[in-house]
Amino acid sequence: MATLLKEITILANYIPYNLNQNTMVVINFADQLQSGTFEYALAYLIDRKIDLSRFDEGVSNDGGGRRAYDPAILLKIILFAYSKGITSSREIMWCCETNIIFKALSCDSVPHFTTIASFVRNHSDAIEDLFSQVVLICEQEGLIGRELFAIDGCKLSSNAAKEWSGTFKELEQKRDKIKRLIQHHLQEDKAQKDQHTRDEKREQRSQQAVETLNKAFDKIDHFLKTQSPRMGQAQRPKEVKSNITDNESAKMKTSKGTVQGYNGIATVDKKHQVIVDAQAFGEGQEYHTLKPILSATRERFNQLGIERDIYKAGTIVTADTGFANEANMAMLFNDKIDAYVPDSKFRERDTRFTYQKEKHGKRHQDKPKRDRQKAVIPSTEFAFDPVTETCVCPTGQTLSHRGKRVTDSGRTKVYFEGRLSQCSACKKKNDCMRRPESANHRKGNGRQVSFLVSDKPTYTDWMKARVDSDKGKHIYSHRMSVVEPVFGNITVNKKLNRFSLRGKQKVNDQWRLYCLVHNIEKLANYGEMAA
């Protein structure tokens, strides 16, 4: 007997929902700032700990006019936006309209983006005072140990394209090239009109190209007529590349290639990685920034009443090899600063790194090698007389004296160069010259050699002895672990991969605001609010 089976279908019954509906929600803004969060620490510090009277300068609307936004509100939303990697004033304004945390920090006010932008732009001295106050709070809560300071720089792109960079000669050549392109387009248009062959789309593209080129030509021409060549910071200053968009920025070599930007330098305390000084410089070289950085840090601790001279109190200073030159070593020695700043060869002298290249390989292995031969005959086979300052090559030819210069290590170097007519006829040119083929075509220079003529100890030798000692190796080993995580936090977690402002002062303020965010995080994690 067949059994009749009846299928039973079970239907699910859910509560319906609809996104297209309005509702009234009662929200207490204070409840949105949960204890232990960055936004809570930010609001607590600004409302209860920090004096914002410096931001009142320039505001005089008590006799009439529209009320201004409280600087406490603007600081809260700007610093919170920076902590999330938001630098656009338009996006900050949008966040104040839509994000509940921004609404809580701004107390449901929505400052216009121009107000936000001008606040950062026009309060440089107040931002410096704010940074110092946060450093003082970190000191009062025991976050600064004053045992060791680590100094380093973080090179970031600026709001300017490196394509607009060049020396005045290069910019003049670029202007002339643009002028030739404009004339080319105009001649093509004239030729088409003469031939009575009109192509409206082609004419429109050509007209747009001429307008774009005219703007570029006017921009370069105005810069060349109103500005002066930019000079470098070396002992013998020479012209460096200017930038039409932001002439205070500079081309800098980084691990990710060459960028047009600024070098944000931070002085970091070892105990909790609090930044005690932050400055931005528009130069790629770091050695000339060491003195102003040390002076600014000393002055800040003196003004805050912490230490009259932080370095005489025993604080150790470390900095990487980019800050090392003879002038800086002499300054550290004469000021009696307990510092450790190694030269670029210090790892080669350390036996612990003897087999590093064999074990891990060379750095930058993907970097293409230069197609250049090494000179087989070393300079040691050239007869150099330090008394008469003359030099004779292995074949008996006397080289021309090309002057002498004091190197960064404080030693005097004498330079010699062979005449190209001599080197081109020399039998040993293939073993002696780096580019022997250039001698055959009478191009370039002859063989060049240099010799040190000063063997007396220098301040660089004094620093080498300090860094190479067991104590120096132990102290300097802390530098990377102190300062590098700070840059990682700012550039990766806070997403600062480029400066959005132009001009050294504005970039300096933006760099300090990001360092402020870092220090406020330290107060939130290790200060009395975290207890």
Side-chain angles (χ1 to χ4, degrees), residues 2-54:
T3 304
L4 182 61
L5 299 177
K6 185 178 181 181
E7 294 183 358
I8 301 175
T9 303
I10 301 175
L11 298 177
N13 188 15
Y14 298 121
I15 299 174
Y17 65 89
N18 180 18
L19 293 177
N20 297 317
Q21 60 181 332
N22 298 324
T23 184
M24 297 292 291
V25 180
V26 179
I27 295 176
N28 183 279
F29 290 137
D31 293 341
Q32 308 307 312
L33 308 178
Q34 295 294 316
S35 179
T37 62
F38 174 80
E39 53 267 23
Y40 176 85
L42 176 63
Y44 178 86
L45 288 170
I46 291 178
D47 291 336
R48 303 186 188 183
K49 293 278 190 178
I50 295 176
D51 178 17
L52 301 179
S53 59
R54 289 292 298 272

Side-chain angles (χ1 to χ4, degrees), residues 185-222:
H185 282 286
L186 294 177
Q187 289 173 359
E188 275 196 343
D189 291 344
K190 186 176 182 300
Q192 283 189 355
K193 290 178 181 179
D194 293 341
Q195 295 174 3
H196 304 288
T197 56
R198 292 192 59 187
D199 186 343
E200 293 184 0
K201 290 185 177 180
R202 185 173 181 178
E203 285 183 7
Q204 186 178 4
R205 289 196 300 268
S206 179
Q207 186 178 359
Q208 291 177 348
V210 170
E211 291 177 358
T212 303
L213 291 170
N214 274 324
K215 290 179 181 179
F217 178 87
D218 293 339
K219 187 176 181 180
I220 298 175
D221 188 62
H222 179 266

Side-chain angles (χ1 to χ4, degrees), residues 357-369:
K357 290 182 180 179
E358 297 178 7
K359 184 177 180 180
H360 301 287
K362 294 182 179 180
R363 296 180 64 188
H364 314 299
Q365 294 186 32
D366 297 333
K367 189 174 181 180
K369 295 182 179 180

Side-chain angles (χ1 to χ4, degrees), residues 401-417:
H401 190 286
R402 292 302 184 190
K404 51 187 176 181
R405 181 173 64 86
V406 178
T407 65
D408 290 340
S409 62
R411 301 182 185 275
T412 301
K413 212 174 223 185
V414 185
Y415 295 85
F416 297 92
E417 180 181 314

Side-chain angles (χ1 to χ4, degrees), residues 155 250-253 263 281-286 288:
K155 297 176 182 177
K251 275 192 172 181
M252 302 178 182
K253 292 182 179 179
N263 191 8
F281 295 88
E283 293 89 17
Q285 293 83 11
E286 294 174 327
H288 68 276

